[in-house]
Each structure stands twice: as structure tokens, then as C-alpha cells.
Amino acid sequence: MLRLTPTKGNLIALKRSLVMANMGYELLDRKRTILINELMLQLDGVKHLRSELSSSFNAAYIALQRANLTLGFVDDLAEAVPLEEGLTITYRSVMGVELPQVHLAEKATPDLPYGFSRSNLFVDDAYRTFQQVKRLTVMLAQVENSVYRLTEEIRKTHKRANALKNVIIPEYHETLKWVSNILEEREREEFTRMKMIKSSGGIKL
């Protein structure tokens, strides 16, 4: 129970605080529901992307092995592949949570970064398959980061909502009842006192 002086002013302030606390809980509960729904959508994406990425990795390594078997180690061709510099990140907000949107600049038909004299179809296949691995890795990084941010915000929101529901709001109710009882008792005492004064002829009411 809150420690305060039982006055009418404090009673009014308590009622106002209780209304605000209930509104705060409703907003937090709604936020928690929306974030959980968003998290479920993101988790579905994680499962699908992990499975697809695993398959792409397997296909890429098989293609690379074929290239190595036909040409020997293709380290010099691999070094010709430029570093990726086409990543940009923007954000979208879901109930105040900033979720990353990772964009990878790609050509519709990417140029092969090496010459044809020392390559073959297996090298081309390996290159294209690893490009797919790169795209999926970017997508998975985006989704996993979103899942982490949503999970953290849901945890914080759940903690705040529970504090309001189980601690703060019951405390306001208990204090409100205590202050109301004391004020009502004072009013009864004052009424009794005035009645006694009236009956003794002390004052005219």
C-alpha cells in the first residue's frame, strides 16, 4: 500500500493514477500481442530460410568440388570475385521496435568476374550457387536480427505489463480503499459530532 496522507486531494489523485495505470496496462497488453504476432511471422521465415540456406550451401560446395576436380584448385578465380559492397540497411517500425530491412544490390543477370580461358561450366555453376547462398544469408541475417529485437522488446513489455497488473494496480486499489475508508470514517465522526452539538443546543443547524 502507498504511504500518503488520507485527504480528498490525494483520493482524487489516486483515482486519476488508477485510470492511467489501467490504460497503460491495456496499451502494453495490446503492444505485446502485436509484437508476438510479428514474431511468429518472423519465426516461420527463419525456419524456411535456414532449410533453404542449408540446401544451397550443400549445392554450392558440390559445385565447387566439381570445379576443383576438373580444373584443380580454383583459388585464383575465387580471388577475382569482388568484395560485396552493395548492402544497404533501412528500418521499419513495429510498435516502436526498429526492424532492419537489408537490401542487396543485384543485377538481373550478374556478370561473371573471371575470364573464360581457365574456367568451365562447373566454375560458373559454383559462382552462381554461392551468389544464391549470399542472398539467403543476407535474408536470414535480417530475419534473425528482427527475431532478436522482437524477443527482447516482448520480454520488456511483458515485465512492465505484469508489474502494472500484479503490483501497481492492486496497490492503487488497496490504497484507494484505505483512503476512502478513512475519509468516510472522518465524515461519520464529523456528522456525529455535529449532531451531538445540535442536540445539546450548542448551535442551530
Side-chain angles (χ1 to χ4, degrees):
M1 187 174 67
L2 299 174
R3 294 184 178 180
L4 47 78
T5 305
T7 63
K8 289 185 177 180
N10 283 336
L11 181 66
I12 293 171
L14 271 172
K15 289 179 179 179
R16 190 180 300 118
S17 296
L18 181 57
V19 170
M20 294 299 294
N22 280 316
M23 287 176 60
Y25 172 75
E26 289 174 6
L27 288 173
L28 286 173
D29 188 49
R30 192 179 310 158
K31 177 181 179 179
R32 177 171 54 187
T33 300
I34 292 171
L35 291 178
I36 289 173
N37 289 338
E38 180 69 26
L39 178 61
M40 292 300 103
L41 292 174
Q42 297 285 347
L43 286 174
D44 288 341
V46 168
K47 293 175 184 177
H48 173 73
L49 283 171
R50 282 180 178 168
S51 174
E52 194 173 351
L53 182 58
S54 177
S55 299
S56 294
F57 258 122
N58 290 335
Y61 281 119
I62 289 172
L64 182 60
Q65 286 174 350
R66 288 173 179 168
N68 285 331
L69 286 172
T70 56
L71 294 174
F73 288 108
V74 291
D75 297 28
D76 55 335
L77 295 178
E79 289 174 0
V81 178
L83 294 176
E84 179 57 62
E85 296 179 348
L87 281 176
T88 56
I89 302 176
T90 58
Y91 294 88
R92 68 182 179 94
S93 180
V94 178
M95 297 300 290
V97 183
E98 297 297 313
L99 302 182
Q101 303 290 289
V102 185
H103 308 278
L104 180 62
E106 292 183 281
K107 295 180 180 179
T109 55
D111 299 327
L112 298 177
Y114 47 80
F116 295 101
S117 59
R118 288 202 60 247
S119 64
N120 59 21
L121 292 175
F122 295 116
V123 174
D124 296 347
D125 187 36
Y127 174 73
R128 292 193 179 95
T129 311
F130 273 106
Q131 287 293 104
Q132 175 66 5
V133 167
K134 179 176 67 176
R135 287 190 293 270
L136 291 171
T137 301
V138 167
M139 293 169 65
L140 183 60
Q142 170 186 302
V143 175
E144 286 190 334
N145 189 272
S146 296
V147 167
Y148 172 78
R149 293 180 179 220
L150 287 166
T151 301
E152 282 297 298
E153 191 62 27
I154 288 169
R155 182 185 62 80
K156 293 176 184 176
T157 304
H158 183 70
K159 186 176 181 180
R160 291 172 187 153
N162 278 354
L164 279 171
K165 180 181 180 181
N166 300 321
V167 179
I168 296 174
I169 291 176
E171 193 173 54
Y172 279 146
H173 276 295
E174 184 181 359
T175 306
L176 191 62
K177 184 178 179 181
W178 176 73
V179 171
S180 297
N181 287 341
I182 288 180
L183 291 178
E184 287 174 6
E185 183 63 27
R186 285 178 182 174
E187 287 178 1
R188 284 194 295 269
E189 289 176 355
E190 180 65 16
F191 177 77
T192 302
R193 188 178 67 83
M194 294 300 291
K195 196 172 182 180
M196 290 176 64
I197 292 173
K198 178 185 176 184
S199 63
S200 64
I203 60 172
K204 293 184 178 179
L205 296 179

